[in-house]
């Protein structure tokens, strides 16, 4: 038989010894194996050979044979793993698809130990679906007939194995030539062995998992290609470029200052990789800064000189610190650096320039598009920058060669200033040097000046002084705020969208403060509570940013939409980045999540709402969802829950339920907080129910507001779930068994965790002080859900669908349209439906709104 019955990784062998006639024993870390040879001479040869190989592996600290995938990083390296039935075996086998091979193990424990049955080279394999749950993996030597637990699981296995075959059949010639350079044999970002992907403009060789995160950075930053499958892109010049460069040269620039605490490894998760790669390539946080950084004219001049030599490292540093690939050389015969390189016969320089021609770098920071030509001018930031003596007097910020000079090198008039950020989005603070405090000055001429001082306090003091000089008196109250970014922008708001007005904006944490030109300070925008945040081109040349905020905490204020317009691209891109960052989830605690108007994390609200609509009678929370889909959905929701729309048919209820449970299980500081969780558990020992409820109410009152609101929303949901326990089998006790260990983040051994959840559901009304109005609303919702379920089970039209009359712009018979509105249709979808029916083309400058009108014709 071509395929083995058992494989033992040599790296796990600790001892080989004789145990009798023709027998020898192989001792591994966890198990002993006894073998019999045909004679003593063969036995002794086996013992000598195995001992020699084992000693060599130990001395080299090698990874081991193919089946040693089950190291600590095995789960991360596998493309897919899990249990499958295999014809001929009594029990299910643990199957792993990794790269261009499929591995078989008796169980998950053997997988962890690296003791496998066999592996299948997929370059000779073919996958064919047999029935609803079965599929065959056919090789010239044997047919492996597998059976999955479900049809969906089968499809995932078939897809994974087909991808493995594609990888196995791909051409490895390019990879082998690039791997000939030792540093290219390991991923430039995480260190995984045999990376078979690359960024052709950054000249780094990377693994499959890092390649996926590189794609998320966009082609303006990194252009990802496969070493094995993208055959056409790999010209002879590009291969030579990678052989000359090597990951070691690339990382001497990109990873010159990586703190050990921020570095990633082959076992790092997607979110950790994404955070690191954004810092490394988009922000340039760990770069080795070129001495000319910030001096655009000198950078361009140095690039023109470098491309005529073979010094690729110098060209790399110049381009990725701000030199323009298309700058004017001053030579009519060779007007660009590319032409200079061609005349000098520097073909590798030409190749490098060609792949970075449209990378979108400007002034040492990635832009949202091509450079405008106005590049950044830096005065003082890092140690490499020249020191200047600065003065602020009579509305002019002047900088001198030193404190003895009387004629300034340059000056900035405060009326020309449009924005003052305390910290750069480009992580200038990560530079080496004495300047720990940095701030920026944006001007009307679309220029950016960078300043650095010895301490953050000094930087803030200068920033406050400059702000006092340039902020209009109508917005002076913003100066009292501990702002991170302050500036003026044009905006439209409310119902007055005809004319944009100038306003003063201050960003403080996740709150955006606005003062209008008439001096009125508007209600601050809580950015984490935005319903929508989008950017789109403006026909007038600016770029509006629209953020729709939900109803504020005080009911007398209505919700609103704010359109922010930028006349200058440079400072507006800074505002976009800062607002997007402030509006996103910033950590793993509840208060750092995107929130609803009632202080419940949007992630929790979305999951609860979907489960309430689609999963009340499907054995909810009793069945586990697919681990891969749960991980993917949780990452998407944590990245930006506003962009995730949970839809029936696209998302499985069990996956959403699993996502909700995992969120609470992994929550930093927990739902009950580390400080108060022991008190909640202690309260369960109180025998008097009244005293226990009273203790719970006191503990609820001391929880942080977001934790309190989230706990109420979750228990409210569980209270509704148990109302349908006849169908879903999830009564109060069963829900407590599931959510007790999850919410208290225990291993399930402490029964008191379940008791707390059971008490909260049973005494929901008393503990959370639910009034009659809330209870009526809850009962109405439960009744509506029951009606929806009854209608669905009887095959009638789904509850919630109704025919709605919609008028276009004015209430006239000729503008009337009748539309079937489903329970999940949004206002945006309804608007597009009407416009499409009337064949109205939506233009960039058009703003369409949808209003619901009651029987009294009130909007």
């Amino acid at each position: 038989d071509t395929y083995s019955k058992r494989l033992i990784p040599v790296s796990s062998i600790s001892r080989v010894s004789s145990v009798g006639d023709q027998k020898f024993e192989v001792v591994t870390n966890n198990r002993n194996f006894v073998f019999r040879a045909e004679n003593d001479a063969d036995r002794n040869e086996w013992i000598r050979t195995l001992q020699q190989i084992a000693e060599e592996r130990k001395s080299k600290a090698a990874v081991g044979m193919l089946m040693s995938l089950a190291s600590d990083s095995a789960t991360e390296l596998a493309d897919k793993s899990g249990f499958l039935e295999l014809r001929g075996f009594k029990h299910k086998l643990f199957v792993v698809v990794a790269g261009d091979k499929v591995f078989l193990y008796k169980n998950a424990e053997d997988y962890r130990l690296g003791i496998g049955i066999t592996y299948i080279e997929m370059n000779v394999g073919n996958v064919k679906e047999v029935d609803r749950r079965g599929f065959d993996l056919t090789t010239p030597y044997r047919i492996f007939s597998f059976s999955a637990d479900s049809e969906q699981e089968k499809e995932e296995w078939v897809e994974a194995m087909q991808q493995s075959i594609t990888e196995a059949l791909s051409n490895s010639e390019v990879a082998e030539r690039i791997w000939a350079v030792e540093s290219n044999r390991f991923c430039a970002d995480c260190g995984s062995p045999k990376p078979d992907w690359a960024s052709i403009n950054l000249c780094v060789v990377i693994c499959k998992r890092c390649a996926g995160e590189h794609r998320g950075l966009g082609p303006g930053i990194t252009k990802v290609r496969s070493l094995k499958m993208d055959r056409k892109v790999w010209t002879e010049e590009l291969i030579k470029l990678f052989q000359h460069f090597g990951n070691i040269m690339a990382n001497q620039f990109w990873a010159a200052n990586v703190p050990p605490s921020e570095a990633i490894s082959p076992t790092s998760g997607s979110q950790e990789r994404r955070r690191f790669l954004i810092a490394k390539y988009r922000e340039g946080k760990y770069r080795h800064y070129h001495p000319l950084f910030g001096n655009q004219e000198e950078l361009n001049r140095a690039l023109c000189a470098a491309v005529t030599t073979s010094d690729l490292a110098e060209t790399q540093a110049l381009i990725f610190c701000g030199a323009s690939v298309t700058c004017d050389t001053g030579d009519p015969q060779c007007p660009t650096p590319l032409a200079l390189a061609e005349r000098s016969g520097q073909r590798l320089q030409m190749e490098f320039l060609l792949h970075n021609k449209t990378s979108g770098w400007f002034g040492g920071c990635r832009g949202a598009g091509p450079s405008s030509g106005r590049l950044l001018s830096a005065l003082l930031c890092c140690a490499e920058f020249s020191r200047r003596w600065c003065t602020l007097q009579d509305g002019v910020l002047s900088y001198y060669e030193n404190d003895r000079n009387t004629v300034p090198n340059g000056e900035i008039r405060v009326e020309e200033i449009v924005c003052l950020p305390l910290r750069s989005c480009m992580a200038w603070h990560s530079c080496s040097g004495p300047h720990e405090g940095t701030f920026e000055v944006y001007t009307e001429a679309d220029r950016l000046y960078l300043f650095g001082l010895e301490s953050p306090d000094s930087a803030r003091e200068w920033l406050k002084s400059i702000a006092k000089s340039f902020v209009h008196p109508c917005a002076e109250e913003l100066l009292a705020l501990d702002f991170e970014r302050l500036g003026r922008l044009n905006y439209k708001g409310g119902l007055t969208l005809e004319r944009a007005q100038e306003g003063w904006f201050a960003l403080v944490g996740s709150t955006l403060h606005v003062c209008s030109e008439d001096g009125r300070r508007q209600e601050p925008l809580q950015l984490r509570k935005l319903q929508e945040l989008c950017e789109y081109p403006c026909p007038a040349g600016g770029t509006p940013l629209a953020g729709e905020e939900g109803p504020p905490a005080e009911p007398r204020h209505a919700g609103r939409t704010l359109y922010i317009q930028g006349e200058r691209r440079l400072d507006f891109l800074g505002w976009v980045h800062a607002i997007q960052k402030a509006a996103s989830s910033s950590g793993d605690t509840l208060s750092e999540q995107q929130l609803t108007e009632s202080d419940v994390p949007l992630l929790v609200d979305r999951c609860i709402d979907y489960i309430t609509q689609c999963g009340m009678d499907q054995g909810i929370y009793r069945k586990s969802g697919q681990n891969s889909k749960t991980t993917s959905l949780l990452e998407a929701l944590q990245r930006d829950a506003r962009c995730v729309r949970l839809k029936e048919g696209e998302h499985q209820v069990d996956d959403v339920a699993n996502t909700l449970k995992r969120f609470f299980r992994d929550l930093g500081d927990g739902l009950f907080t580390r400080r108060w969780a022991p008190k909640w558990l202690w309260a369960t020992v109180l025998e008097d129910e009244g005293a226990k409820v009273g203790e719970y109410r006191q503990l609820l009152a001391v929880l942080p507001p977001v934790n309190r609101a989230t706990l109420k929303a979750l228990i409210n949901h569980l209270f509704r779930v148990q109302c349908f326990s006849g169908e879903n089998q999830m009564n109060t006790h069963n829900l407590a068994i599931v959510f007790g260990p999850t919410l208290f983040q225990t291993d399930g051994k402490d029964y008191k965790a379940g008791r707390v959840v059971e008490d909260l559901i049973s005494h929901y009304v008393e503990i959370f002080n639910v009034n009659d109005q809330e209870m009526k609303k809850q009962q109405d919702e439960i009744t509506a859900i029951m009606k929806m379920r009854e209608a669905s089970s009887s095959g009638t039209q789904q509850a919630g669908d109704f025919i709605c009359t919609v008028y276009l712009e004015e209430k006239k018979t000729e503008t009337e349209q009748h539309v079937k509105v489903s329970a999940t249709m949004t206002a945006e979808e309804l608007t597009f439906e009407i416009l499409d029916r009337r064949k109205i083309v939506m233009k960039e400058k058009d703003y369409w709104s949808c209003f619901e009108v009651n029987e009294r014709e009130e909007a």
Side-chain angles (χ1 to χ4, degrees):
D1 193 343
T2 304
Y3 299 104
S4 62
K5 303 298 183 184
R6 182 63 63 93
L7 283 174
I8 306 169
V10 175
S11 59
S12 68
I13 297 177
S14 58
R15 181 167 54 88
V16 183
S17 60
S18 174
V19 291
D21 293 340
Q22 302 173 15
K23 295 180 183 178
F24 64 94
E25 183 181 39
V26 176
V27 180
T28 68
N29 299 332
N30 298 83
R31 196 173 301 177
N32 298 352
F33 299 87
V34 177
F35 296 90
R36 182 192 296 273
E38 290 187 0
N39 53 59
D40 288 344
D42 282 352
R43 177 199 62 188
N44 295 337
E45 181 67 17
W46 275 107
I47 292 175
R48 186 187 64 77
T49 303
L50 288 172
Q51 285 176 339
Q52 181 181 345
I53 294 175
E55 287 301 320
E56 288 177 358
R57 292 299 175 97
K58 287 179 182 177
S59 63
K60 295 180 181 178
V63 176
M65 293 175 63
L66 289 168
M67 292 302 295
S68 63
L69 269 175
S71 60
D72 293 338
S73 62
T75 305
E76 297 295 337
L77 296 175
D79 297 316
K80 183 167 180 60
S81 62
F83 287 96
L84 286 174
E85 294 177 12
L86 176 59
R87 186 182 302 164
F89 286 81
K90 187 183 297 184
H91 303 289
K92 288 184 178 180
L93 298 185
F94 194 81
V95 183
V96 177
V97 180
D100 57 358
K101 298 178 182 66
V102 172
F103 299 86
L104 306 182
Y105 299 84
K106 286 185 67 176
N107 49 53
E109 177 66 14
D110 278 4
Y111 168 55
R112 189 182 66 79
L113 298 175
I115 301 172
I117 298 173
T118 191
Y119 66 89
I120 306 160
E121 298 275 5
M122 296 299 280
N123 61 335
V124 295
N126 182 44
V127 183
K128 179 182 179 182
E129 298 186 37
V130 177
D131 53 37
R132 194 173 63 85
R133 296 192 300 116
F135 63 97
D136 287 346
L137 172 55
T138 305
T139 73
Y141 320 105
R142 183 176 169 185
I143 297 176
F144 297 86
S145 297
F146 293 104
S147 182
D149 290 336
S150 66
E151 185 174 3
Q152 184 174 356
E153 186 76 6
K154 177 205 68 177
E155 291 173 356
E156 292 181 3
W157 277 106
V158 170
E159 182 181 355
M161 290 189 182
Q162 287 174 340
Q163 182 63 35
S164 179
I165 292 171
T166 301
E167 188 168 338
L169 295 176
S170 59
N171 190 344
S172 59
E173 179 187 353
V174 171
E176 294 294 344
R177 291 180 64 185
I178 289 177
W179 289 342
V181 179
E182 186 174 358
S183 65
N184 289 344
R185 297 172 194 165
F186 300 91
C187 176
D189 298 325
C190 74
S192 292
K194 287 198 171 182
D196 51 6
W197 292 81
S199 170
I200 59 174
N201 64 311
L202 302 179
C203 286
V204 291
V205 188
I206 52 180
C207 67
K208 184 177 181 179
R209 299 192 69 206
C210 286
E213 301 303 333
H214 268 256
R215 287 195 192 93
L217 298 176
I221 294 178
T222 173
K223 302 168 185 176
V224 182
R225 298 292 185 272
S226 170
L227 298 184
K228 295 181 178 180
M229 291 179 280
D230 295 320
R231 301 180 189 180
K232 291 183 179 180
V233 75
W234 291 103
T235 62
E236 189 64 25
E237 295 299 334
L238 184 57
I239 294 173
K240 288 180 179 179
L241 180 64
F242 269 76
Q243 289 175 329
H244 182 90
F245 236 94
N247 283 347
I248 190 168
M249 183 191 292
N251 275 338
Q252 283 172 351
F253 173 75
W254 288 110
N257 303 293
V258 179
S261 60
E262 295 183 25
I264 60 174
S265 68
T267 62
S268 298
S270 298
Q271 194 167 357
E272 192 178 355
R273 287 174 194 267
R274 187 178 307 114
R275 189 182 303 116
F276 175 77
L277 295 179
I278 287 173
K280 183 177 180 180
Y281 297 113
R282 178 180 289 171
E283 298 174 357
K285 183 177 180 181
Y286 314 120
R287 280 177 295 177
H288 178 74
Y289 285 88
H290 195 280
L292 297 176
F293 179 70
N295 191 328
Q296 190 61 47
E297 187 176 343
E298 291 298 324
L299 282 171
N300 291 346
R301 188 179 295 119
L303 177 64
C304 293
V307 298
T308 63
T309 72
S310 60
D311 193 349
L312 286 166
E314 175 72 1
T315 303
Q316 170 191 241
L318 289 166
I319 289 177
F320 295 133
C321 279
S324 173
V325 177
T326 57
C327 67
D328 186 4
T329 64
D331 185 343
Q333 302 298 320
C334 300
T336 65
L338 181 61
L340 286 175
E342 184 176 14
R343 185 174 67 182
S344 303
Q346 298 294 334
R347 300 190 65 82
L348 296 188
Q349 292 278 13
M350 291 172 59
E351 190 74 16
F352 188 68
L353 292 171
L354 282 169
H355 289 294
N356 283 285
K357 202 171 183 180
T358 58
S359 291
W361 279 87
F362 62 97
C365 180
R366 290 288 186 183
S371 170
S372 64
R374 296 191 181 95
L375 300 167
L376 311 189
S377 173
L379 301 178
L380 175 62
C381 179
C382 296
E384 295 88 351
F385 286 21
S386 303
R387 297 182 64 86
R388 293 289 182 265
W389 178 260
C390 299
T391 64
L392 179 63
Q393 188 174 8
D394 298 328
V396 179
L397 176 62
S398 306
Y399 47 96
Y400 301 80
E401 189 69 30
N402 53 56
D403 59 352
R404 296 183 298 276
N405 284 37
T406 57
V407 179
N409 289 14
E411 56 186 29
I412 308 169
R413 307 192 69 82
V414 293
E415 62 263 26
E416 298 172 354
I417 297 175
V418 295
C419 186
L420 291 172
L422 178 62
R423 290 178 52 178
S424 165
C425 65
M426 297 172 282
W428 302 114
H429 59 286
S430 68
C431 302
S432 58
H435 310 294
E436 296 182 6
T438 62
F439 67 90
E440 303 168 352
V441 175
Y442 290 84
T443 66
E444 290 180 337
D446 211 17
R447 296 188 68 189
L448 166 61
Y449 297 82
L450 311 173
F451 293 84
L453 293 100
E454 287 73 11
S455 70
D457 290 339
S458 301
R460 181 167 286 281
E461 187 178 346
W462 266 95
L463 194 70
K464 289 278 189 179
S465 299
I466 297 172
K468 288 178 183 177
S469 302
F470 104 97
V471 170
H472 194 275
C474 69
E476 280 184 347
E477 56 188 304
L478 297 180
L479 296 174
L481 302 173
D482 195 20
F483 59 84
E484 299 155 21
R485 193 179 190 92
L486 178 71
R488 52 188 169 95
L489 292 163
N490 292 331
Y491 76 97
K492 301 176 183 179
L495 299 176
T496 57
L497 300 176
E498 295 81 11
R499 183 183 67 87
Q501 58 178 321
E502 186 176 74
W504 292 85
F505 291 75
L507 184 61
V508 183
S510 61
T511 305
L512 185 64
H513 298 262
V514 186
C515 272
S516 60
E517 57 189 358
D518 56 8
R520 289 186 295 107
R521 185 171 175 180
Q522 300 187 17
E523 185 72 26
L525 286 168
Q526 300 298 328
L527 296 178
R528 288 211 184 108
K529 293 187 177 182
L530 293 183
Q531 291 179 2
E532 187 175 356
L533 182 66
C534 57
E535 180 191 357
Y536 52 93
C538 177
T543 309
L545 183 75
E548 293 184 20
E549 186 187 30
E554 295 182 3
R556 66 176 182 270
H557 293 293
R560 53 182 167 152
T561 301
L562 193 65
Y563 299 91
I564 303 175
Q565 277 183 286
E567 296 180 356
R568 296 156 296 274
R569 183 170 182 78
L570 200 56
D571 77 293
F572 184 72
L573 287 175
W575 275 108
V576 171
H577 177 89
I579 291 174
Q580 287 174 338
K581 184 177 180 181
S584 63
S585 299
S586 60
D588 60 355
T589 62
L590 280 175
S591 60
E592 295 172 308
Q593 307 301 310
Q594 294 171 325
L595 303 172
T596 66
E597 62 201 62
S598 55
D599 281 338
V600 176
L602 192 56
L603 182 154
V604 174
D605 184 74
R606 287 272 161 88
C607 290
I608 287 178
D609 184 57
Y610 182 77
I611 293 168
T612 300
Q613 291 186 45
C614 306
M616 298 296 272
D617 58 349
Q618 298 184 16
I620 190 65
Y621 297 121
R622 289 192 295 116
K623 295 186 292 184
S624 296
Q626 291 188 27
N627 188 55
S628 59
K629 293 189 176 181
T630 298
T631 301
S632 176
L633 179 57
L634 182 59
E635 288 180 354
L637 286 166
Q638 287 179 323
R639 189 161 52 249
D640 190 353
R642 282 187 294 267
C643 296
V644 179
R645 295 287 184 268
L646 299 175
K647 294 184 178 180
E648 194 170 8
E650 293 182 20
H651 299 90
Q652 300 299 317
V653 173
D654 294 328
D655 295 332
V656 177
N658 225 30
T659 299
L660 182 64
K661 289 189 291 184
R662 186 179 295 183
F663 170 75
F664 283 115
R665 186 188 67 200
D666 299 340
L667 192 62
D669 200 36
L671 178 59
F672 293 95
T673 74
R674 292 189 182 93
R675 177 183 178 186
W676 295 107
K679 296 284 188 182
W680 284 87
L681 296 173
W682 173 85
T684 60
V685 303
L686 297 174
E687 296 182 0
D688 184 79
E689 288 296 312
K692 188 192 295 185
V693 169
E695 182 67 18
Y696 284 145
R697 292 186 63 171
Q698 290 183 22
L699 291 170
L700 183 67
V702 297
L703 283 179
V706 176
N707 295 58
R708 188 162 59 246
T710 305
L711 180 60
K712 181 177 180 179
L714 179 63
I715 299 302
N716 173 283
H717 167 63
L718 299 182
F719 180 83
R720 278 190 270 188
V721 171
Q722 60 88 33
C723 289
F724 298 94
S725 59
E727 289 80 12
N728 57 39
Q729 307 302 313
M730 294 303 287
N731 56 29
T732 302
H733 180 69
N734 290 340
L735 288 169
I737 292 174
V738 172
F739 276 93
T742 298
L743 300 184
F744 283 93
Q745 301 175 337
T746 65
D747 56 7
K749 294 180 180 179
D750 192 343
Y751 71 93
K752 293 192 289 293
R755 287 284 301 276
V756 172
V757 175
E758 191 168 354
D759 289 339
L760 290 176
I761 299 173
S762 301
H763 300 286
Y764 165 67
V765 175
E766 299 94 321
I767 294 173
F768 293 95
N769 197 26
V770 180
N771 57 37
D772 293 341
Q773 186 176 356
E774 284 184 89
M775 278 304 298
K776 183 180 184 305
K777 179 182 177 182
Q778 179 131 321
Q779 292 299 328
D780 291 344
E781 289 175 353
I782 293 173
T783 302
I785 294 171
M786 292 179 68
K787 288 181 178 179
M788 189 186 303
R789 286 177 54 254
E790 290 171 1
S792 177
S793 61
S794 64
T796 59
Q797 183 184 21
Q798 182 182 346
D801 290 3
F802 61 94
I803 303 300
C804 179
T805 303
V806 180
Y807 297 94
L808 185 64
E809 294 190 307
E810 53 185 338
K811 190 178 180 181
K812 291 184 177 179
T813 305
E814 57 268 24
T815 67
E816 183 178 289
Q817 292 287 328
H818 300 286
V819 183
K820 180 181 176 182
V821 179
S822 69
T824 58
M825 178 178 273
T826 64
E828 181 184 28
E829 291 169 341
L830 178 59
T831 302
F832 282 126
E833 171 80 11
I834 296 298
L835 295 179
D836 186 57
R837 287 191 183 189
R838 297 302 295 268
K839 294 182 172 54
I840 295 176
V841 179
M842 189 172 180
K843 300 176 183 178
E844 289 182 345
K845 62 182 180 180
D846 291 345
Y847 300 107
W848 288 94
S849 300
C850 180
F851 298 92
E852 182 179 356
V853 181
N854 62 17
E855 63 273 11
R856 295 190 297 274
E857 298 194 358
E858 296 172 341

